Amino acid sequence: DAGVTQSPTHLIKTRGQQVTLRCSPKSGHDTVSWYQQALGQGPQFIFQYYEEEERQRGNFPDRFSGHQFPNYSSELNVNALLLGDSALYLCASSRGTSSSEAFFGQGTRLTVV
Amino acid sequence: GQNIDQPTEMTATEGAIVQINCTYQTSGFNGLFWYQQHAGEAPTFLSYNVLDGLEEKGRFSSFLSRSKGYSYLLLKELQMKDSASYLCAVRDNTNAGKSTFGDGTTLTVKP
């Protein structure tokens, strides 16, 4: 079992550009949640996908969007990148939306210059 | 919304016991998680509490009091590798169950 995998692991983008991050959930998991973690802070919830729909959204602007595919994998898209978007982006997968545990991927370190 | 408070830093000695506290204010509650995160790595699931009481898993135990909005993570027989950030997260009781994280407690274990 490969667990939760994210790609790429590191990424450098310029202000104003767009970025797409990818996540493959752990085998048997159907729910994917995305988080942004700035240095020294806890992960901040961006949104959650279940059955290919966005089920809940955190306090993030519309520049942040996502998608879930029939195989449960997911993408996070960020448009018009700002310097403040530099962070570790984490994907967590679970079985259902009320599971007793969630597994995180290793994250994508995004640097906006 | 949710508000999670935990100490920023703690230091303990190898072989000792340490308790990391977490208090929360929530508009709805559907479980509390503890995660371990080593620097530069992803969080690793440690424990889950949804009912009051103590859950024990090896050297790690987690306690929950829903009426007090309080939880703690207890680490016994500390090892150097336990030096990490410990994150408390509360899930709300909406249909999607969003989890709100605290900023983590950085634990340093000294010889």
Side-chain angles (χ1 to χ4, degrees), chain A residues 35 37 40-43 45 48 55-56 90 97-102 104-106, chain B residues 30 33 35 37 42-43 45 48 87 91-92 94-99 101-103:
Chain A
Y35 293 85
Q37 186 175 25
Q41 297 182 15
F45 177 81
Q48 182 186 77
R55 294 289 173 162
Q56 193 165 10
L90 295 163
T97 59
S98 295
S99 174
S100 60
E101 61 183 341
F104 280 86
Q106 81 281 12
Chain B
N30 188 22
F33 297 82
Y35 292 88
Q37 186 175 28
F45 170 80
Y48 171 75
L87 299 162
R91 182 169 61 194
D92 65 29
T94 61
N95 184 44
K98 178 183 83 171
S99 287
F101 281 78
D103 284 336

PDB file of all heavy atoms in Angstrom, chain A residues 35 37 40-43 45 48 55-56 90 97-102 104-106, chain B residues 30 33 35 37 42-43 45 48 87 91-92 94-99 101-103:
ATOM      1  N   TYR A  35      -5.040  20.920   2.955  1.00  0.00           N
ATOM      2  CA  TYR A  35      -4.657  21.850   3.998  1.00  0.00           C
ATOM      3  C   TYR A  35      -3.459  22.670   3.533  1.00  0.00           C
ATOM      4  O   TYR A  35      -2.608  22.194   2.778  1.00  0.00           O
ATOM      5  CB  TYR A  35      -4.260  21.114   5.286  1.00  0.00           C
ATOM      6  CG  TYR A  35      -5.395  20.398   5.980  1.00  0.00           C
ATOM      7  CD1 TYR A  35      -5.766  19.113   5.594  1.00  0.00           C
ATOM      8  CD2 TYR A  35      -6.090  21.000   7.026  1.00  0.00           C
ATOM      9  CE1 TYR A  35      -6.798  18.453   6.228  1.00  0.00           C
ATOM     10  CE2 TYR A  35      -7.130  20.341   7.670  1.00  0.00           C
ATOM     11  CZ  TYR A  35      -7.474  19.070   7.268  1.00  0.00           C
ATOM     12  OH  TYR A  35      -8.506  18.419   7.904  1.00  0.00           O
ATOM     13  N   GLN A  37      -0.234  24.682   5.239  1.00  0.00           N
ATOM     14  CA  GLN A  37       0.494  24.827   6.495  1.00  0.00           C
ATOM     15  C   GLN A  37       1.648  25.798   6.311  1.00  0.00           C
ATOM     16  O   GLN A  37       2.636  25.490   5.619  1.00  0.00           O
ATOM     17  CB  GLN A  37       1.009  23.477   7.009  1.00  0.00           C
ATOM     18  CG  GLN A  37       1.635  23.566   8.389  1.00  0.00           C
ATOM     19  CD  GLN A  37       2.048  22.228   8.958  1.00  0.00           C
ATOM     20  OE1 GLN A  37       2.310  21.279   8.225  1.00  0.00           O
ATOM     21  NE2 GLN A  37       2.094  22.127  10.298  1.00  0.00           N
ATOM     22  N   GLY A  40       5.618  27.090  11.176  1.00  0.00           N
ATOM     23  CA  GLY A  40       5.345  27.375  12.579  1.00  0.00           C
ATOM     24  C   GLY A  40       3.881  27.383  12.954  1.00  0.00           C
ATOM     25  O   GLY A  40       3.538  27.712  14.097  1.00  0.00           O
ATOM     26  N   GLN A  41       3.020  27.027  12.011  1.00  0.00           N
ATOM     27  CA  GLN A  41       1.582  27.011  12.288  1.00  0.00           C
ATOM     28  C   GLN A  41       0.998  25.630  12.019  1.00  0.00           C
ATOM     29  O   GLN A  41       1.633  24.783  11.390  1.00  0.00           O
ATOM     30  CB  GLN A  41       0.864  28.055  11.432  1.00  0.00           C
ATOM     31  CG  GLN A  41       1.295  29.482  11.714  1.00  0.00           C
ATOM     32  CD  GLN A  41       0.512  30.478  10.867  1.00  0.00           C
ATOM     33  OE1 GLN A  41      -0.508  30.148  10.279  1.00  0.00           O
ATOM     34  NE2 GLN A  41       0.998  31.693  10.837  1.00  0.00           N
ATOM     35  N   GLY A  42      -0.212  25.420  12.504  1.00  0.00           N
ATOM     36  CA  GLY A  42      -0.902  24.183  12.214  1.00  0.00           C
ATOM     37  C   GLY A  42      -1.523  24.231  10.829  1.00  0.00           C
ATOM     38  O   GLY A  42      -1.663  25.305  10.239  1.00  0.00           O
ATOM     39  N   PRO A  43      -1.870  23.089  10.278  1.00  0.00           N
ATOM     40  CA  PRO A  43      -2.523  23.053   8.976  1.00  0.00           C
ATOM     41  C   PRO A  43      -3.863  23.808   9.005  1.00  0.00           C
ATOM     42  O   PRO A  43      -4.614  23.695   9.973  1.00  0.00           O
ATOM     43  CB  PRO A  43      -2.748  21.558   8.730  1.00  0.00           C
ATOM     44  CG  PRO A  43      -1.734  20.870   9.598  1.00  0.00           C
ATOM     45  CD  PRO A  43      -1.608  21.739  10.799  1.00  0.00           C
ATOM     46  N   PHE A  45      -7.465  24.274   7.054  1.00  0.00           N
ATOM     47  CA  PHE A  45      -8.343  23.542   6.141  1.00  0.00           C
ATOM     48  C   PHE A  45      -8.705  24.397   4.934  1.00  0.00           C
ATOM     49  O   PHE A  45      -9.174  25.533   5.079  1.00  0.00           O
ATOM     50  CB  PHE A  45      -9.605  23.148   6.905  1.00  0.00           C
ATOM     51  CG  PHE A  45     -10.651  22.438   6.095  1.00  0.00           C
ATOM     52  CD1 PHE A  45     -10.554  21.084   5.845  1.00  0.00           C
ATOM     53  CD2 PHE A  45     -11.744  23.127   5.594  1.00  0.00           C
ATOM     54  CE1 PHE A  45     -11.532  20.421   5.118  1.00  0.00           C
ATOM     55  CE2 PHE A  45     -12.734  22.473   4.873  1.00  0.00           C
ATOM     56  CZ  PHE A  45     -12.619  21.120   4.628  1.00  0.00           C
ATOM     57  N   GLN A  48     -12.674  19.999   1.300  1.00  0.00           N
ATOM     58  CA  GLN A  48     -12.762  18.548   1.318  1.00  0.00           C
ATOM     59  C   GLN A  48     -13.596  18.071   0.145  1.00  0.00           C
ATOM     60  O   GLN A  48     -14.621  18.679  -0.190  1.00  0.00           O
ATOM     61  CB  GLN A  48     -13.407  18.067   2.613  1.00  0.00           C
ATOM     62  CG  GLN A  48     -13.509  16.548   2.742  1.00  0.00           C
ATOM     63  CD  GLN A  48     -14.287  16.146   3.985  1.00  0.00           C
ATOM     64  OE1 GLN A  48     -15.505  16.209   4.022  1.00  0.00           O
ATOM     65  NE2 GLN A  48     -13.547  15.725   5.021  1.00  0.00           N
ATOM     66  N   ARG A  55     -17.330  19.297  -0.436  1.00  0.00           N
ATOM     67  CA  ARG A  55     -18.315  19.138   0.629  1.00  0.00           C
ATOM     68  C   ARG A  55     -18.269  20.270   1.632  1.00  0.00           C
ATOM     69  O   ARG A  55     -19.265  20.609   2.236  1.00  0.00           O
ATOM     70  CB  ARG A  55     -18.075  17.801   1.349  1.00  0.00           C
ATOM     71  CG  ARG A  55     -18.326  16.612   0.474  1.00  0.00           C
ATOM     72  CD  ARG A  55     -19.806  16.429   0.175  1.00  0.00           C
ATOM     73  NE  ARG A  55     -20.059  15.392  -0.793  1.00  0.00           N
ATOM     74  CZ  ARG A  55     -21.243  14.810  -0.958  1.00  0.00           C
ATOM     75  NH1 ARG A  55     -22.269  15.174  -0.200  1.00  0.00           N
ATOM     76  NH2 ARG A  55     -21.398  13.870  -1.871  1.00  0.00           N
ATOM     77  N   GLN A  56     -17.091  20.794   1.861  1.00  0.00           N
ATOM     78  CA  GLN A  56     -16.955  21.896   2.810  1.00  0.00           C
ATOM     79  C   GLN A  56     -15.717  22.683   2.430  1.00  0.00           C
ATOM     80  O   GLN A  56     -14.778  22.144   1.846  1.00  0.00           O
ATOM     81  CB  GLN A  56     -16.849  21.369   4.238  1.00  0.00           C
ATOM     82  CG  GLN A  56     -17.013  22.441   5.303  1.00  0.00           C
ATOM     83  CD  GLN A  56     -17.254  21.878   6.676  1.00  0.00           C
ATOM     84  OE1 GLN A  56     -17.130  20.684   6.884  1.00  0.00           O
ATOM     85  NE2 GLN A  56     -17.574  22.734   7.629  1.00  0.00           N
ATOM     86  N   LEU A  90      -0.797  20.131   2.183  1.00  0.00           N
ATOM     87  CA  LEU A  90      -0.981  18.756   2.618  1.00  0.00           C
ATOM     88  C   LEU A  90      -2.316  18.213   2.147  1.00  0.00           C
ATOM     89  O   LEU A  90      -3.330  18.916   2.166  1.00  0.00           O
ATOM     90  CB  LEU A  90      -0.928  18.676   4.147  1.00  0.00           C
ATOM     91  CG  LEU A  90       0.404  19.019   4.800  1.00  0.00           C
ATOM     92  CD1 LEU A  90       0.209  19.304   6.286  1.00  0.00           C
ATOM     93  CD2 LEU A  90       1.400  17.881   4.607  1.00  0.00           C
ATOM     94  N   THR A  97     -16.443  10.746   5.507  1.00  0.00           N
ATOM     95  CA  THR A  97     -16.175  12.076   6.047  1.00  0.00           C
ATOM     96  C   THR A  97     -16.131  12.100   7.560  1.00  0.00           C
ATOM     97  O   THR A  97     -15.817  13.126   8.152  1.00  0.00           O
ATOM     98  CB  THR A  97     -17.250  13.071   5.566  1.00  0.00           C
ATOM     99  OG1 THR A  97     -18.522  12.603   5.993  1.00  0.00           O
ATOM    100  CG2 THR A  97     -17.229  13.205   4.056  1.00  0.00           C
ATOM    101  N   SER A  98     -16.435  10.987   8.219  1.00  0.00           N
ATOM    102  CA  SER A  98     -16.419  10.940   9.689  1.00  0.00           C
ATOM    103  C   SER A  98     -15.538   9.813  10.209  1.00  0.00           C
ATOM    104  O   SER A  98     -15.801   9.237  11.247  1.00  0.00           O
ATOM    105  CB  SER A  98     -17.843  10.775  10.235  1.00  0.00           C
ATOM    106  OG  SER A  98     -18.616  11.904   9.924  1.00  0.00           O
ATOM    107  N   SER A  99     -14.475   9.528   9.490  1.00  0.00           N
ATOM    108  CA  SER A  99     -13.574   8.447   9.884  1.00  0.00           C
ATOM    109  C   SER A  99     -12.846   8.774  11.188  1.00  0.00           C
ATOM    110  O   SER A  99     -12.648   9.944  11.516  1.00  0.00           O
ATOM    111  CB  SER A  99     -12.560   8.197   8.766  1.00  0.00           C
ATOM    112  OG  SER A  99     -11.606   7.251   9.168  1.00  0.00           O
ATOM    113  N   SER A 100     -12.416   7.745  11.888  1.00  0.00           N
ATOM    114  CA  SER A 100     -11.694   7.940  13.143  1.00  0.00           C
ATOM    115  C   SER A 100     -10.207   8.182  12.925  1.00  0.00           C
ATOM    116  O   SER A 100      -9.467   8.359  13.882  1.00  0.00           O
ATOM    117  CB  SER A 100     -11.878   6.721  14.052  1.00  0.00           C
ATOM    118  OG  SER A 100     -11.375   5.557  13.413  1.00  0.00           O
ATOM    119  N   GLU A 101      -9.757   8.164  11.695  1.00  0.00           N
ATOM    120  CA  GLU A 101      -8.366   8.507  11.431  1.00  0.00           C
ATOM    121  C   GLU A 101      -8.227   9.020  10.009  1.00  0.00           C
ATOM    122  O   GLU A 101      -9.052   8.734   9.144  1.00  0.00           O
ATOM    123  CB  GLU A 101      -7.436   7.313  11.671  1.00  0.00           C
ATOM    124  CG  GLU A 101      -7.697   6.105  10.806  1.00  0.00           C
ATOM    125  CD  GLU A 101      -6.783   4.953  11.176  1.00  0.00           C
ATOM    126  OE1 GLU A 101      -5.754   5.192  11.810  1.00  0.00           O
ATOM    127  OE2 GLU A 101      -7.088   3.805  10.829  1.00  0.00           O
ATOM    128  N   ALA A 102      -7.176   9.787   9.805  1.00  0.00           N
ATOM    129  CA  ALA A 102      -6.881  10.308   8.484  1.00  0.00           C
ATOM    130  C   ALA A 102      -5.385  10.185   8.256  1.00  0.00           C
ATOM    131  O   ALA A 102      -4.592  10.280   9.196  1.00  0.00           O
ATOM    132  CB  ALA A 102      -7.320  11.762   8.351  1.00  0.00           C
ATOM    133  N   PHE A 104      -2.048  11.523   6.098  1.00  0.00           N
ATOM    134  CA  PHE A 104      -1.528  12.640   5.321  1.00  0.00           C
ATOM    135  C   PHE A 104      -0.475  12.172   4.327  1.00  0.00           C
ATOM    136  O   PHE A 104       0.300  11.244   4.605  1.00  0.00           O
ATOM    137  CB  PHE A 104      -0.885  13.678   6.238  1.00  0.00           C
ATOM    138  CG  PHE A 104      -1.870  14.588   6.919  1.00  0.00           C
ATOM    139  CD1 PHE A 104      -2.467  14.221   8.104  1.00  0.00           C
ATOM    140  CD2 PHE A 104      -2.201  15.823   6.355  1.00  0.00           C
ATOM    141  CE1 PHE A 104      -3.366  15.057   8.732  1.00  0.00           C
ATOM    142  CE2 PHE A 104      -3.105  16.665   6.982  1.00  0.00           C
ATOM    143  CZ  PHE A 104      -3.687  16.282   8.176  1.00  0.00           C
ATOM    144  N   GLY A 105      -0.441  12.852   3.198  1.00  0.00           N
ATOM    145  CA  GLY A 105       0.666  12.697   2.279  1.00  0.00           C
ATOM    146  C   GLY A 105       1.861  13.487   2.774  1.00  0.00           C
ATOM    147  O   GLY A 105       1.781  14.216   3.770  1.00  0.00           O
ATOM    148  N   GLN A 106       2.977  13.376   2.062  1.00  0.00           N
ATOM    149  CA  GLN A 106       4.211  14.035   2.501  1.00  0.00           C
ATOM    150  C   GLN A 106       4.197  15.532   2.216  1.00  0.00           C
ATOM    151  O   GLN A 106       5.046  16.265   2.699  1.00  0.00           O
ATOM    152  CB  GLN A 106       5.441  13.383   1.838  1.00  0.00           C
ATOM    153  CG  GLN A 106       5.726  13.839   0.414  1.00  0.00           C
ATOM    154  CD  GLN A 106       4.836  13.176  -0.626  1.00  0.00           C
ATOM    155  OE1 GLN A 106       3.841  12.528  -0.308  1.00  0.00           O
ATOM    156  NE2 GLN A 106       5.209  13.321  -1.889  1.00  0.00           N
TER     157      GLN A 106
ATOM    158  N   ASN B  30     -17.218  16.615  16.753  1.00  0.00           N
ATOM    159  CA  ASN B  30     -17.340  15.239  16.283  1.00  0.00           C
ATOM    160  C   ASN B  30     -15.982  14.559  16.297  1.00  0.00           C
ATOM    161  O   ASN B  30     -15.575  13.934  15.319  1.00  0.00           O
ATOM    162  CB  ASN B  30     -17.969  15.185  14.892  1.00  0.00           C
ATOM    163  CG  ASN B  30     -18.288  13.764  14.452  1.00  0.00           C
ATOM    164  OD1 ASN B  30     -18.423  12.852  15.265  1.00  0.00           O
ATOM    165  ND2 ASN B  30     -18.370  13.554  13.151  1.00  0.00           N
ATOM    166  N   PHE B  33      -8.457  14.774  17.373  1.00  0.00           N
ATOM    167  CA  PHE B  33      -7.313  14.014  16.880  1.00  0.00           C
ATOM    168  C   PHE B  33      -6.021  14.580  17.462  1.00  0.00           C
ATOM    169  O   PHE B  33      -5.903  15.782  17.694  1.00  0.00           O
ATOM    170  CB  PHE B  33      -7.213  14.123  15.352  1.00  0.00           C
ATOM    171  CG  PHE B  33      -8.378  13.555  14.601  1.00  0.00           C
ATOM    172  CD1 PHE B  33      -9.536  14.300  14.435  1.00  0.00           C
ATOM    173  CD2 PHE B  33      -8.309  12.302  14.025  1.00  0.00           C
ATOM    174  CE1 PHE B  33     -10.616  13.799  13.718  1.00  0.00           C
ATOM    175  CE2 PHE B  33      -9.381  11.795  13.294  1.00  0.00           C
ATOM    176  CZ  PHE B  33     -10.530  12.540  13.153  1.00  0.00           C
ATOM    177  N   TYR B  35      -1.892  14.447  16.318  1.00  0.00           N
ATOM    178  CA  TYR B  35      -0.935  14.077  15.289  1.00  0.00           C
ATOM    179  C   TYR B  35       0.469  14.439  15.761  1.00  0.00           C
ATOM    180  O   TYR B  35       0.663  15.392  16.520  1.00  0.00           O
ATOM    181  CB  TYR B  35      -1.206  14.825  13.978  1.00  0.00           C
ATOM    182  CG  TYR B  35      -2.480  14.445  13.271  1.00  0.00           C
ATOM    183  CD1 TYR B  35      -3.681  15.077  13.562  1.00  0.00           C
ATOM    184  CD2 TYR B  35      -2.478  13.454  12.286  1.00  0.00           C
ATOM    185  CE1 TYR B  35      -4.847  14.738  12.902  1.00  0.00           C
ATOM    186  CE2 TYR B  35      -3.650  13.108  11.622  1.00  0.00           C
ATOM    187  CZ  TYR B  35      -4.823  13.758  11.937  1.00  0.00           C
ATOM    188  OH  TYR B  35      -5.978  13.411  11.278  1.00  0.00           O
ATOM    189  N   GLN B  37       4.221  15.536  14.205  1.00  0.00           N
ATOM    190  CA  GLN B  37       4.829  16.040  12.971  1.00  0.00           C
ATOM    191  C   GLN B  37       6.293  16.363  13.222  1.00  0.00           C
ATOM    192  O   GLN B  37       6.618  17.296  13.970  1.00  0.00           O
ATOM    193  CB  GLN B  37       4.091  17.270  12.449  1.00  0.00           C
ATOM    194  CG  GLN B  37       4.584  17.743  11.093  1.00  0.00           C
ATOM    195  CD  GLN B  37       3.765  18.883  10.527  1.00  0.00           C
ATOM    196  OE1 GLN B  37       3.182  19.676  11.259  1.00  0.00           O
ATOM    197  NE2 GLN B  37       3.717  18.980   9.204  1.00  0.00           N
ATOM    198  N   ALA B  42       5.221  15.255   6.978  1.00  0.00           N
ATOM    199  CA  ALA B  42       3.766  15.336   7.109  1.00  0.00           C
ATOM    200  C   ALA B  42       3.336  14.882   8.505  1.00  0.00           C
ATOM    201  O   ALA B  42       4.031  14.115   9.164  1.00  0.00           O
ATOM    202  CB  ALA B  42       3.110  14.457   6.052  1.00  0.00           C
ATOM    203  N   PRO B  43       2.178  15.340   8.972  1.00  0.00           N
ATOM    204  CA  PRO B  43       1.639  14.853  10.249  1.00  0.00           C
ATOM    205  C   PRO B  43       1.338  13.357  10.189  1.00  0.00           C
ATOM    206  O   PRO B  43       0.889  12.844   9.168  1.00  0.00           O
ATOM    207  CB  PRO B  43       0.347  15.646  10.416  1.00  0.00           C
ATOM    208  CG  PRO B  43       0.522  16.852   9.554  1.00  0.00           C
ATOM    209  CD  PRO B  43       1.333  16.393   8.385  1.00  0.00           C
ATOM    210  N   PHE B  45      -0.846  10.345  12.178  1.00  0.00           N
ATOM    211  CA  PHE B  45      -1.954  10.135  13.102  1.00  0.00           C
ATOM    212  C   PHE B  45      -1.482   9.396  14.355  1.00  0.00           C
ATOM    213  O   PHE B  45      -0.775   8.393  14.273  1.00  0.00           O
ATOM    214  CB  PHE B  45      -3.036   9.322  12.393  1.00  0.00           C
ATOM    215  CG  PHE B  45      -4.127   8.819  13.290  1.00  0.00           C
ATOM    216  CD1 PHE B  45      -5.160   9.662  13.684  1.00  0.00           C
ATOM    217  CD2 PHE B  45      -4.130   7.506  13.735  1.00  0.00           C
ATOM    218  CE1 PHE B  45      -6.178   9.195  14.499  1.00  0.00           C
ATOM    219  CE2 PHE B  45      -5.130   7.034  14.563  1.00  0.00           C
ATOM    220  CZ  PHE B  45      -6.164   7.885  14.940  1.00  0.00           C
ATOM    221  N   TYR B  48      -7.396   9.235  18.379  1.00  0.00           N
ATOM    222  CA  TYR B  48      -8.709   9.819  18.117  1.00  0.00           C
ATOM    223  C   TYR B  48      -9.583   9.581  19.333  1.00  0.00           C
ATOM    224  O   TYR B  48      -9.660   8.464  19.840  1.00  0.00           O
ATOM    225  CB  TYR B  48      -9.322   9.163  16.886  1.00  0.00           C
ATOM    226  CG  TYR B  48     -10.769   9.507  16.613  1.00  0.00           C
ATOM    227  CD1 TYR B  48     -11.112  10.746  16.101  1.00  0.00           C
ATOM    228  CD2 TYR B  48     -11.789   8.587  16.854  1.00  0.00           C
ATOM    229  CE1 TYR B  48     -12.436  11.065  15.832  1.00  0.00           C
ATOM    230  CE2 TYR B  48     -13.110   8.894  16.583  1.00  0.00           C
ATOM    231  CZ  TYR B  48     -13.431  10.127  16.074  1.00  0.00           C
ATOM    232  OH  TYR B  48     -14.730  10.445  15.797  1.00  0.00           O
ATOM    233  N   LEU B  87       0.236  18.060  17.230  1.00  0.00           N
ATOM    234  CA  LEU B  87      -0.903  18.854  16.779  1.00  0.00           C
ATOM    235  C   LEU B  87      -2.201  18.279  17.316  1.00  0.00           C
ATOM    236  O   LEU B  87      -2.459  17.080  17.197  1.00  0.00           O
ATOM    237  CB  LEU B  87      -0.962  18.858  15.249  1.00  0.00           C
ATOM    238  CG  LEU B  87       0.236  19.455  14.511  1.00  0.00           C
ATOM    239  CD1 LEU B  87       0.245  18.991  13.065  1.00  0.00           C
ATOM    240  CD2 LEU B  87       0.175  20.972  14.569  1.00  0.00           C
ATOM    241  N   ARG B  91     -12.663  18.046  15.042  1.00  0.00           N
ATOM    242  CA  ARG B  91     -13.558  17.941  13.884  1.00  0.00           C
ATOM    243  C   ARG B  91     -14.935  18.408  14.285  1.00  0.00           C
ATOM    244  O   ARG B  91     -15.441  18.053  15.349  1.00  0.00           O
ATOM    245  CB  ARG B  91     -13.609  16.500  13.385  1.00  0.00           C
ATOM    246  CG  ARG B  91     -14.489  16.309  12.152  1.00  0.00           C
ATOM    247  CD  ARG B  91     -14.297  14.945  11.540  1.00  0.00           C
ATOM    248  NE  ARG B  91     -14.647  13.876  12.456  1.00  0.00           N
ATOM    249  CZ  ARG B  91     -14.327  12.598  12.262  1.00  0.00           C
ATOM    250  NH1 ARG B  91     -13.621  12.256  11.201  1.00  0.00           N
ATOM    251  NH2 ARG B  91     -14.696  11.672  13.124  1.00  0.00           N
ATOM    252  N   ASP B  92     -15.547  19.198  13.381  1.00  0.00           N
ATOM    253  CA  ASP B  92     -16.893  19.673  13.702  1.00  0.00           C
ATOM    254  C   ASP B  92     -17.925  18.642  13.270  1.00  0.00           C
ATOM    255  O   ASP B  92     -17.584  17.601  12.693  1.00  0.00           O
ATOM    256  CB  ASP B  92     -17.149  21.060  13.094  1.00  0.00           C
ATOM    257  CG  ASP B  92     -17.148  21.047  11.573  1.00  0.00           C
ATOM    258  OD1 ASP B  92     -17.488  20.014  10.969  1.00  0.00           O
ATOM    259  OD2 ASP B  92     -16.802  22.090  10.974  1.00  0.00           O
ATOM    260  N   THR B  94     -20.493  19.029  11.164  1.00  0.00           N
ATOM    261  CA  THR B  94     -21.202  19.253   9.910  1.00  0.00           C
ATOM    262  C   THR B  94     -21.131  17.983   9.077  1.00  0.00           C
ATOM    263  O   THR B  94     -20.396  17.047   9.404  1.00  0.00           O
ATOM    264  CB  THR B  94     -20.561  20.404   9.118  1.00  0.00           C
ATOM    265  OG1 THR B  94     -19.205  20.031   8.814  1.00  0.00           O
ATOM    266  CG2 THR B  94     -20.560  21.680   9.923  1.00  0.00           C
ATOM    267  N   ASN B  95     -21.835  17.991   7.987  1.00  0.00           N
ATOM    268  CA  ASN B  95     -21.899  16.801   7.149  1.00  0.00           C
ATOM    269  C   ASN B  95     -20.523  16.365   6.673  1.00  0.00           C
ATOM    270  O   ASN B  95     -20.215  15.184   6.591  1.00  0.00           O
ATOM    271  CB  ASN B  95     -22.805  17.078   5.945  1.00  0.00           C
ATOM    272  CG  ASN B  95     -23.001  15.857   5.083  1.00  0.00           C
ATOM    273  OD1 ASN B  95     -23.220  14.766   5.585  1.00  0.00           O
ATOM    274  ND2 ASN B  95     -22.897  16.028   3.777  1.00  0.00           N
ATOM    275  N   ALA B  96     -19.663  17.338   6.366  1.00  0.00           N
ATOM    276  CA  ALA B  96     -18.338  17.013   5.842  1.00  0.00           C
ATOM    277  C   ALA B  96     -17.295  16.842   6.928  1.00  0.00           C
ATOM    278  O   ALA B  96     -16.228  16.307   6.670  1.00  0.00           O
ATOM    279  CB  ALA B  96     -17.890  18.082   4.853  1.00  0.00           C
ATOM    280  N   GLY B  97     -17.557  17.312   8.146  1.00  0.00           N
ATOM    281  CA  GLY B  97     -16.611  17.086   9.232  1.00  0.00           C
ATOM    282  C   GLY B  97     -15.258  17.728   9.049  1.00  0.00           C
ATOM    283  O   GLY B  97     -14.235  17.061   9.004  1.00  0.00           O
ATOM    284  N   LYS B  98     -15.230  19.044   8.940  1.00  0.00           N
ATOM    285  CA  LYS B  98     -13.968  19.774   8.815  1.00  0.00           C
ATOM    286  C   LYS B  98     -13.188  19.699  10.115  1.00  0.00           C
ATOM    287  O   LYS B  98     -13.748  19.817  11.197  1.00  0.00           O
ATOM    288  CB  LYS B  98     -14.280  21.237   8.496  1.00  0.00           C
ATOM    289  CG  LYS B  98     -13.047  22.127   8.388  1.00  0.00           C
ATOM    290  CD  LYS B  98     -13.444  23.573   8.155  1.00  0.00           C
ATOM    291  CE  LYS B  98     -13.781  24.287   9.425  1.00  0.00           C
ATOM    292  NZ  LYS B  98     -13.967  25.740   9.213  1.00  0.00           N
ATOM    293  N   SER B  99     -11.858  19.506  10.008  1.00  0.00           N
ATOM    294  CA  SER B  99     -10.984  19.498  11.170  1.00  0.00           C
ATOM    295  C   SER B  99     -10.228  20.809  11.275  1.00  0.00           C
ATOM    296  O   SER B  99      -9.676  21.294  10.292  1.00  0.00           O
ATOM    297  CB  SER B  99      -9.984  18.341  11.089  1.00  0.00           C
ATOM    298  OG  SER B  99     -10.614  17.106  11.343  1.00  0.00           O
ATOM    299  N   PHE B 101      -7.098  22.659  13.221  1.00  0.00           N
ATOM    300  CA  PHE B 101      -5.868  22.322  13.929  1.00  0.00           C
ATOM    301  C   PHE B 101      -5.405  23.464  14.821  1.00  0.00           C
ATOM    302  O   PHE B 101      -5.560  24.645  14.486  1.00  0.00           O
ATOM    303  CB  PHE B 101      -4.744  22.030  12.926  1.00  0.00           C
ATOM    304  CG  PHE B 101      -4.812  20.670  12.310  1.00  0.00           C
ATOM    305  CD1 PHE B 101      -5.713  20.398  11.290  1.00  0.00           C
ATOM    306  CD2 PHE B 101      -3.965  19.666  12.734  1.00  0.00           C
ATOM    307  CE1 PHE B 101      -5.780  19.143  10.711  1.00  0.00           C
ATOM    308  CE2 PHE B 101      -4.014  18.404  12.158  1.00  0.00           C
ATOM    309  CZ  PHE B 101      -4.931  18.142  11.149  1.00  0.00           C
ATOM    310  N   GLY B 102      -4.791  23.108  15.955  1.00  0.00           N
ATOM    311  CA  GLY B 102      -4.020  24.068  16.717  1.00  0.00           C
ATOM    312  C   GLY B 102      -2.686  24.294  16.027  1.00  0.00           C
ATOM    313  O   GLY B 102      -2.366  23.631  15.035  1.00  0.00           O
ATOM    314  N   ASP B 103      -1.903  25.215  16.563  1.00  0.00           N
ATOM    315  CA  ASP B 103      -0.616  25.528  15.942  1.00  0.00           C
ATOM    316  C   ASP B 103       0.489  24.567  16.355  1.00  0.00           C
ATOM    317  O   ASP B 103       1.629  24.696  15.904  1.00  0.00           O
ATOM    318  CB  ASP B 103      -0.202  26.966  16.261  1.00  0.00           C
ATOM    319  CG  ASP B 103      -0.970  27.971  15.434  1.00  0.00           C
ATOM    320  OD1 ASP B 103      -1.464  27.600  14.348  1.00  0.00           O
ATOM    321  OD2 ASP B 103      -1.089  29.126  15.870  1.00  0.00           O
TER     322      ASP B 103
END
